[in-house]
Amino acid sequence: MSAECREPGPGGHSGASGSGACLPRSTSAPWCLPRWRARAAAAVLCYVNLLNYMNWFIVAGMLLDIQNFFQIQDSNAGLLQTVFICCLLLSAPVFGYLGDRHSRKATLSIGILLWSGAGLASSFISPQYSWLFFLSRGVVGIGSASYSTIAPTVLGDLFVRDQRTRVLAIFYIFIPVGSGLGYVLGSAVLQLTGNWRWGFRVMPCLEAVALILLIALVPDPPRGAAEKQEEAVGTPRSSWCEDVRYLGRNWSFVWSTLGVTAIAFVTGALGFWAPKFLFEARVVHGLQPPCLQDPCNSQDSLIFGILTVVTGIIGVVLGAEASRRYKKVNPRAEPLICACSLLTAAPCLYLALVLAPVTLLASYVFLALGELLLSCNWAVVADILLSVVLPRCRGTAEALQITVGHVLGDAGSPYVTGLISGILRAGRPDSYLQSFLSLQQSFLCCTFVIALGGGCFLLTALRLEGDQALARQPGTGTPDSKDAESRALLSGTRVAAEDP
């Protein structure tokens, strides 16, 4: 089902009941969108998501050359990603607020202009101004925040139920695909030109096409259009603080956000340091010489990028399809699938790390399994959020989940990993073997974090049905009392029975 040419409800309006934030509203006229336009909009948003995540990881694909050019040590190299993520998380609540109250299409367009302009400018920075390169990554993070926060809410208002699950699966496939292509583009351009700067000069060309398509084909649907909870002009709007209080009492949202944080911590550390870890493993095994001057051998970035793309596509499709099928039998299927995938990913990542000095082949196999299991969660966690949060709070919910996930997750994990590696290496002989072992041991904390994330999704499963029922109730305002939550829990079975 997509939000296309629907009939208005009886009387044109539905009364708003309850008090508090995020009051669902309806309009007197239906909102219509042709099927082809909804699909075209989804395709454009997926394309921009691809470019968004290519920007996240293009630096990691050329990290050794960037470090050599700006003379950046491991202990500071992780700050490139930390600055990017910190700026993203600080601006995400602002974009969430704007996305719930103003034109989402305009906000998305501004974000694309920001990150493409900053990326292009970073390619002209000279080596003595390395701080400007760090600053440019922060501006790219600000632009990226607008898209990561708002784009899923637009899809949530274009599609619903099984169609929304499928569309979100396709949308979130482009997280691992974009991440992998970021490595691939960086290493490929480096091999072709011998200069890492051209990686940042190719991206703006692709982003200009994305901006044109966004303006031409992507609509700005009324919030809650797919669920027939459209906005009415003149109805009072809740404050941002009221929205946050509502989300803080939504335990499905809280626990799933902590689960997403664990995923972000691990993917942030792996995404930034894994190519260098694999490069040093090959040096230790005698398969290639050390990198003493740029351009460095980018084979490992290319391999890791392809691995990320393939496992990401398979993982997202498997996770979304398993969720779609299993929730017909078990309404708590989504968080249970996330929990199982994370609890299985933890030992796979552990084995990938400890086997790397012994056999590279086994390390690659377990790394691929770990990445596949992590990728199973992307579309599923987005569907959880959209199903448990009232439509008019979704922009704020996305922003808060991004902020918390990055503050406690990948904002610090690349820096912490590099810092621990630097501390361990400082007390050891100066050799590639010790450098490799230091980075390997600094990675081990990721396995424990991902297991904690699995536990958070198990707790999400305990509260899921009640929060979903409350979000689906027509005329339900933000629950300000436990009575509202009790009504939702009691009506959960009835609402589930009414859904096809």
Side-chain angles (χ1 to χ4, degrees), residues 103-396:
S103 170
R104 291 180 285 189
K105 187 171 181 176
T107 308
L108 291 173
S109 301
I110 292 170
I112 294 174
L113 285 173
L114 269 178
W115 89 54
S116 61
L120 179 62
S122 69
S123 69
F124 296 99
I125 298 172
S126 59
Q128 62 265 34
Y129 296 106
S130 59
W131 63 272
L132 276 177
F133 188 78
F134 282 83
L135 181 62
S136 70
R137 293 305 296 167
V139 178
V140 173
I142 293 173
S144 182
S146 69
Y147 194 80
S148 301
T149 301
I150 295 172
T153 70
V154 176
L155 290 175
D157 288 332
L158 291 174
F159 304 92
V160 75
R161 294 177 184 161
D162 277 358
Q163 275 202 7
R164 183 164 70 192
T165 300
R166 294 190 185 99
V167 170
L168 285 173
I170 297 170
F171 181 79
Y172 282 101
I173 277 175
F174 290 97
I175 291 181
V177 171
S179 303
L181 288 180
Y183 299 113
V184 171
L185 177 68
S187 60
V189 171
L190 188 61
Q191 286 180 341
L192 289 173
T193 65
N195 191 332
W196 60 268
R197 294 170 180 271
W198 285 101
F200 292 103
R201 295 170 184 172
V202 171
M203 287 299 298
C205 301
L206 303 175
E207 288 153 355
V209 175
L211 182 60
I212 294 170
L213 292 174
L214 179 75
I215 294 171
L217 296 176
V218 177
D220 191 358
R223 292 155 183 85
E227 289 95 340
K228 304 183 182 181
Q229 298 179 21
E230 300 95 332
E231 300 170 304
V233 177
T235 303
R237 183 61 172 91
S238 60
S239 70
W240 185 81
C241 291
E242 289 173 320
D243 293 358
V244 172
R245 281 198 297 270
Y246 155 64
L247 293 170
R249 293 191 299 268
N250 187 325
W251 286 103
S252 295
F253 171 76
V254 171
W255 288 119
S256 63
T257 296
L258 292 176
V260 169
T261 301
I263 299 172
F265 185 95
V266 176
T267 55
L270 282 177
F272 194 81
W273 289 110
K276 183 170 184 178
F277 174 77
L278 295 171
F279 175 87
E280 293 187 348
R282 291 171 65 84
V283 173
V284 168
H285 281 274
L287 299 177
Q288 66 183 47
C291 175
L292 301 177
Q293 62 181 10
D294 57 354
C296 298
N297 190 331
S298 56
Q299 179 183 8
D300 299 286
S301 295
L302 189 63
I303 293 172
F304 185 72
I306 294 171
L307 194 68
T308 301
V309 170
V310 174
T311 57
I313 293 173
I314 297 172
V316 171
V317 171
L318 282 178
E321 190 61 19
S323 170
R324 189 182 70 83
R325 292 175 181 271
Y326 185 36
K327 67 184 176 183
K328 294 177 181 179
V329 179
N330 186 344
R332 300 176 179 180
E334 291 163 327
L336 291 177
I337 288 171
C338 292
C340 290
S341 65
L342 294 187
L343 293 173
T344 309
C348 289
L349 291 176
Y350 177 80
L351 290 171
L353 294 172
V354 299
L355 290 176
V358 181
T359 167
L360 271 179
L361 179 60
S363 180
Y364 269 110
V365 169
F366 282 109
L367 181 61
L369 287 174
E371 282 207 290
L372 187 148
L373 290 165
L374 288 174
S375 297
C376 288
N377 296 277
W378 292 119
V380 182
V381 295
D383 216 6
I384 291 174
L385 184 147
L386 293 173
S387 69
V388 301
V389 175
L390 294 169
R392 291 189 61 224
C393 286
R394 286 174 181 164
T396 300

Side-chain angles (χ1 to χ4, degrees), residues 417-434:
T417 303
L419 184 63
I420 294 173
S421 175
I423 292 171
L424 293 174
R425 187 177 178 181
R428 296 175 174 177
D430 187 13
S431 68
Y432 247 85
L433 175 61
Q434 294 303 322

Side-chain angles (χ1 to χ4, degrees), residues 52-106:
N52 182 25
Y53 279 90
M54 286 176 70
N55 262 307
W56 280 49
F57 291 101
I58 191 171
V59 168
M62 306 179 293
L63 181 60
L64 287 168
D65 293 88
I66 292 173
Q67 281 185 272
N68 289 339
F69 183 81
F70 288 110
Q71 295 297 303
I72 302 172
Q73 302 300 316
D74 280 0
S75 56
N76 292 323
L79 280 175
L80 283 170
Q81 194 74 349
T82 298
V83 169
F84 173 89
I85 297 298
C86 284
C87 290
L88 184 149
L89 66 90
L90 288 174
S91 55
V94 176
F95 287 117
Y97 179 89
L98 295 174
D100 279 344
R101 290 160 178 82
H102 301 287
S103 170
R104 291 180 285 189
K105 187 171 181 176

